[in-house]
């Protein structure tokens, strides 16, 4: 059973460009969570999604950030017009209905 | 006040030592408590998962939860160099469908 998959593993963008981060949950998992991790800081919750629904986006910045989990395909975290402060590791986690969260390897975003 | 407090360390111990890692929290509604291990530049890996108060043992690892003191611990017996990693505590109000609150992580080095 493959784990949570994230790609790309490393992403470099210039200021003002768009970043798209993809997450494929574990087989059988219908809940997806996105977290951001900055150096010397813990994981910060961003958004929780189920298929075609955003359940909790209380941790998402109000502008430039969006997330989706379509009926088919991976979950996407999209950051528009990236700024240097967006540089971080972004982790996706998934869970089945009655269990805890399992994390992917992360995408490390660098904004030049 | 942060929801979850964790001493960042770093913690350095000789091989074979017993390691004690701790977190405190402020939200009495937390019911589920997790410990994750994160190697450098990797995603967090679930180690232990407990519900409410009490102890849980898995091999060399023991998790303790004291809800009256809002204090959780992870003990590692017979520590090995391969245990060198950052350990993150996490907690939530519900087992799923809810964001996790993470500590900042404790960096552990086990010296051969």
């Amino acid at each position: 059973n493959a784990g949570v998959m994230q790609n790309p593993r490393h992403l470099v963008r210039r200021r003002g460009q768009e970043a798209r981060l993809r997450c494929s949950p574990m087989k059988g998992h219908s809940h997806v969570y996105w977290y951001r991790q900055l150096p010397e800081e813990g994981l910060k919750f961003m958004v929780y999604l189920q298929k075609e629904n955003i359940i909790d986006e209380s941790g998402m910045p109000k502008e430039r950030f969006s997330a989706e989990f379509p009926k088919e395909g991976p979950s996407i975290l999209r950051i528009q017009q990236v700024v240097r402060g967006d540089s971080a590791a972004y982790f996706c986690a998934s869970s089945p209905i009655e269990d805890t969260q399992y994390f992917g390897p992360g995408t490390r975003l660098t904004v030049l | 006040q942060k929801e979850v407090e964790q001493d960042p360390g770093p913690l350095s111990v000789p091989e074979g030592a017993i390691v004690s890692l701790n977190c405190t929290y402020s939200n009495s509604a937390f019911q589920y408590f997790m410990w994750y291990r994160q190697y450098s530049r990797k995603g967090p890996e679930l180690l232990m998962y407990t519900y409410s108060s009490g102890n849980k043992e898995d091999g060399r690892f023991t998790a303790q939860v004291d809800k009256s003191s809002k204090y959780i611990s992870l003990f590692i017996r017979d520590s090995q160099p391969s245990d060198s990693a950052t350990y993150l505590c996490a907690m939530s109000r519900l087992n799923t469908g809810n964001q996790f609150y993470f500590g900042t992580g404790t960096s552990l080095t086990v010296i051969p």
Side-chain angles (χ1 to χ4, degrees):
Chain A
N1 184 14
V4 178
M5 311 280 282
Q6 287 189 252
N7 65 81
R9 295 292 307 277
H10 301 273
L11 183 61
V12 179
R13 285 288 179 265
R14 296 189 180 280
R15 281 179 296 170
Q17 291 184 318
E18 178 180 288
R20 281 187 177 232
L21 289 63
R22 287 178 291 277
C23 169
S24 297
M26 289 176 70
K27 187 176 181 181
H29 289 196
S30 58
H31 304 241
V32 166
Y33 309 79
W34 285 94
Y35 291 82
R36 176 163 61 179
Q37 187 176 43
L38 292 166
E40 311 305 322
E41 293 187 20
L43 287 156
K44 301 294 185 188
F45 169 80
M46 299 180 74
V47 62
Y48 160 47
L49 311 104
Q50 293 181 19
K51 287 283 188 182
E52 299 184 281
N53 281 306
I54 297 174
I55 307 301
D56 180 356
E57 57 182 346
S58 59
M60 287 276 272
K62 293 288 186 278
E63 298 177 351
R64 302 188 297 108
F65 285 72
S66 62
E68 62 177 9
F69 189 14
K71 187 176 179 180
E72 300 291 338
S75 175
I76 306 286
L77 179 67
R78 182 181 177 204
I79 311 172
Q80 295 178 293
Q81 298 175 313
V82 295
V83 300
R84 288 216 173 105
D86 296 332
S87 295
Y90 292 84
F91 290 96
C92 165
S94 73
S95 69
I97 292 179
E98 298 293 336
D99 210 327
T100 190
Q101 296 175 20
Y102 297 86
F103 282 80
T107 294
R108 277 158 184 82
L109 173 65
T110 301
V111 179
L112 301 177
Chain B
Q1 183 186 10
K2 288 183 181 179
E3 298 256 18
V4 181
E5 299 275 2
Q6 184 175 9
D7 186 340
L11 188 60
S12 185
V13 302
E15 183 175 354
I18 297 175
V19 176
S20 173
L21 304 166
N22 311 293
C23 288
T24 59
Y25 61 96
S26 56
N27 190 341
S28 58
F30 288 144
Q31 302 259 29
Y32 294 85
F33 304 91
M34 282 69 62
W35 285 95
Y36 285 84
R37 178 174 61 196
Q38 186 175 23
Y39 292 112
S40 180
R41 307 188 75 76
K42 301 288 186 184
E45 169 195 8
L46 179 66
L47 273 180
M48 300 287 284
Y49 169 51
T50 56
Y51 170 68
S52 196
S53 287
N55 292 3
K56 185 174 182 178
E57 189 173 319
D58 184 1
R60 296 185 294 110
F61 298 89
T62 299
Q64 283 186 353
V65 175
D66 182 349
K67 291 188 73 178
S68 62
S69 302
K70 298 191 181 69
Y71 187 88
I72 70 171
S73 300
L74 177 71
F75 297 96
I76 307 173
R77 291 183 299 281
D78 188 24
S79 55
Q80 303 294 310
S82 58
D83 296 328
S84 299
T86 296
Y87 290 80
L88 301 159
C89 63
M91 45 200 79
S92 71
R93 296 188 301 276
L94 301 171
N95 66 331
T96 191
N98 202 262
Q99 63 172 289
F100 281 17
Y101 295 83
F102 281 86
T104 52
T106 300
S107 176
L108 171 68
T109 300
V110 179
I111 302 168

